[in-house]
Amino acid sequence: MAQNKTTENDLSVPDFLNTIPDENKRADCFNLSDILSLTTGFKAKMWGNAIVGFGSYHYKYESGREGDAPLVGFSPRKDAIVLYLSSQFKDREELLSKFGKHKTAKACIYVKKMSDIHIEVLKEMIINAVAHTSSLYP
């Protein structure tokens, strides 16, 4: 079975974030990293070469595929900052309706800039996503 490409590693999160060319997006990502760390209680770690993750869990699917993944995380992409939260967590749709300007696709939530979203709603989404994933993979 193939190894997962996106694994936790010892690359520097600040060094990675400092490579973001856009000054505003870079500042937003440092701010987001702080929010995720304070909300989850986990230190930011690199997963692969482009995902900043917080906490981890081990999953095993019925197919036999298994691995480790961050409980929550984000990645600065060209067009948006991608938030990786569980695709199903308590009050997800209700919270997303109050979240601010964003797009979604499965477990990914795309935001252009932090000023477009409500931080307190984000914190509740993070807490609920961590609780949901932790309950599935204790």
Side-chain angles (χ1 to χ4, degrees):
M1 191 165 294
Q3 290 286 356
N4 290 339
K5 293 179 185 176
T6 307
T7 57
E8 184 177 333
N9 60 63
D10 291 327
L11 295 175
S12 167
V13 172
D15 286 353
F16 167 66
L17 295 180
N18 278 319
T19 66
I20 300 169
D22 181 273
E23 184 178 326
N24 292 325
K25 185 180 280 185
R26 184 170 56 247
D28 278 353
C29 286
F30 273 103
N31 183 26
L32 180 58
S33 182
D34 289 343
I35 290 167
L36 282 157
S37 185
L38 289 169
T39 305
T40 64
F42 295 109
K43 182 180 174 189
K45 299 285 281 181
M46 288 301 301
W47 286 76
N49 60 5
I51 295 175
V52 180
F54 300 81
S56 67
Y57 67 97
H58 186 79
Y59 62 85
K60 185 171 184 176
Y61 298 137
E62 288 181 19
S63 66
R65 181 173 174 83
E66 64 181 296
D68 297 303
L71 285 168
V72 293
F74 73 94
S75 184
R77 301 295 166 102
K78 181 180 178 186
D79 294 331
I81 299 168
V82 183
L83 301 172
Y84 299 107
L85 305 177
S86 170
S87 62
Q88 301 172 6
F89 57 81
K90 182 179 173 219
D91 301 328
R92 185 177 193 269
E93 295 309 314
E94 178 187 338
L95 290 167
L96 283 172
S97 72
K98 301 176 192 175
F99 184 54
K101 192 173 175 183
H102 72 280
K103 293 181 181 178
T104 60
K106 293 191 180 183
C108 300
I109 301 168
Y110 301 85
V111 298
K112 294 280 188 188
K113 54 190 180 215
M114 294 294 286
S115 61
D116 285 344
I117 62 172
H118 298 282
I119 302 303
E120 292 307 311
V121 175
L122 172 62
K123 290 177 183 176
E124 192 170 349
M125 289 167 48
I126 294 165
I127 290 166
N128 291 0
V130 168
H132 176 76
T133 302
S134 297
S135 73
L136 293 177
Y137 304 97

